[in-house]
Amino acid sequence: RLNDPVYQQDQADPYVTKLYTDTAGSEAEWNALIHQAEAGDFLLFSSEGASAEYGFFNHSALILSVDGDTLHLLHARGSEYGVGADLDMDYLSWELLCTHNYYIDYGTVFLCTAGDLSADEKESMVQQAYEDYNGYQFGYGGRMGLQEVNCTELIDNAYTSAGVEMISSDYDTRLKEVLKGNTKNLVVIPDDLMFSDITEVKAVWKR
């Protein structure tokens, strides 16, 4: 794959592919990512030192709105906020990325989108997602009465409700099998969003 001409062209011209590698890890690179972000996009976070190492990405979040240099995010909650996303993680800026205990270990952030939704359709999607999932629980085997949904399922469900199927073609992957109902004990992880045929990477920030 490293010899693939498309990949080599991406490396040769990072500006065109919107991979801001010239100023890696800088505030300027983060601002470039923010400039690309829109409500309805989603973030994928990678941390080699995270406790949950299911794949390359450890966490994902749906962008509810962009306010200047701050992203308002929707995460899956934990029981009494002990597992999953904390309230402090609902807003992400350059300052919080550098100082917040949760984000400090993240070395790579991918800004992604999927489908061909209009701005109005995305706005409707995130409003519905906020109504459906704000405060819902992350994990499996949690307290009775709370819907269990992890960060990846939240994003996939939001796009599905807007008529965008993140998973296409045949049911030949683990995520497709989960969605089809053929498995009961496999967790849908953020990597599955990246592996979707329709996911588009808009920008990347690397510490």
Side-chain angles (χ1 to χ4, degrees), residues 124-135:
S124 177
M125 178 184 76
V126 298
Q127 287 181 1
Q128 186 62 49
Y130 186 82
E131 182 177 328
D132 290 343
Y133 296 114
N134 186 42

Side-chain angles (χ1 to χ4, degrees), residues 43-60:
L43 297 178
L44 299 176
F45 299 90
S46 175
S47 171
E48 294 181 358
S51 58
E53 295 183 1
Y54 299 113
F56 182 79
F57 297 103
N58 310 97
H59 182 58
S60 58

Side-chain angles (χ1 to χ4, degrees), residues 76-98:
R77 294 284 184 226
S79 175
E80 298 180 355
Y81 306 137
V83 179
D86 203 332
L87 285 171
D88 291 341
M89 295 164 58
D90 286 359
Y91 294 90
L92 179 58
S93 63
W94 169 252
E95 180 181 4
L96 291 174
L97 182 69
C98 293

Side-chain angles (χ1 to χ4, degrees), residues 15-197:
Y15 178 78
V16 172
T17 57
K18 301 176 184 176
L19 305 182
Y20 299 94
T21 58
D22 290 341
T23 54
S26 70
E27 184 175 4
E29 183 188 44
W30 179 255
N31 289 337
L33 183 146
I34 294 290
H35 180 72
Q36 297 288 330
E38 299 175 317
D41 293 343
F42 56 93
L43 297 178
L44 299 176
F45 299 90
S46 175
S47 171
E48 294 181 358
S51 58
E53 295 183 1
Y54 299 113
F56 182 79
F57 297 103
N58 310 97
H59 182 58
S60 58
L62 183 68
I63 298 176
L64 293 175
S65 64
V66 182
D67 183 11
D69 62 353
T70 301
L71 301 176
H72 184 192
L73 305 176
L74 181 64
H75 309 264
R77 294 284 184 226
S79 175
E80 298 180 355
Y81 306 137
V83 179
D86 203 332
L87 285 171
D88 291 341
M89 295 164 58
D90 286 359
Y91 294 90
L92 179 58
S93 63
W94 169 252
E95 180 181 4
L96 291 174
L97 182 69
C98 293
T99 61
H100 196 286
N101 288 338
Y102 183 85
Y103 288 116
I104 194 67
D105 292 329
Y106 280 98
T108 308
V109 181
F110 279 62
L111 171 67
C112 303
T113 193
D116 190 23
L117 298 173
S118 67
D120 288 343
E121 289 172 324
K122 283 187 173 182
E123 182 64 29
S124 177
M125 178 184 76
V126 298
Q127 287 181 1
Q128 186 62 49
Y130 186 82
E131 182 177 328
D132 290 343
Y133 296 114
N134 186 42
Y136 275 23
Q137 186 169 346
F138 166 85
Y140 297 84
R143 295 184 301 172
M144 186 179 301
L146 291 177
Q147 178 173 339
E148 296 182 3
V149 58
N150 69 23
C151 56
T152 302
E153 293 168 325
L154 186 158
I155 293 170
D156 179 65
N157 291 345
Y159 271 91
T160 299
S161 71
V164 176
E165 294 293 336
M166 295 290 291
I167 307 305
S168 59
S169 70
D170 298 326
Y171 290 95
D172 57 1
T173 70
R174 177 169 50 82
L175 177 55
K176 293 173 186 177
E177 289 300 305
V178 170
L179 296 178
K180 195 176 180 181
N182 289 342
T183 61
K184 301 299 181 184
N185 60 349
L186 293 178
V187 177
V188 184
I189 63 175
D191 287 47
D192 294 313
L193 295 175
M194 180 58 76
F195 293 153
S196 172
D197 294 337

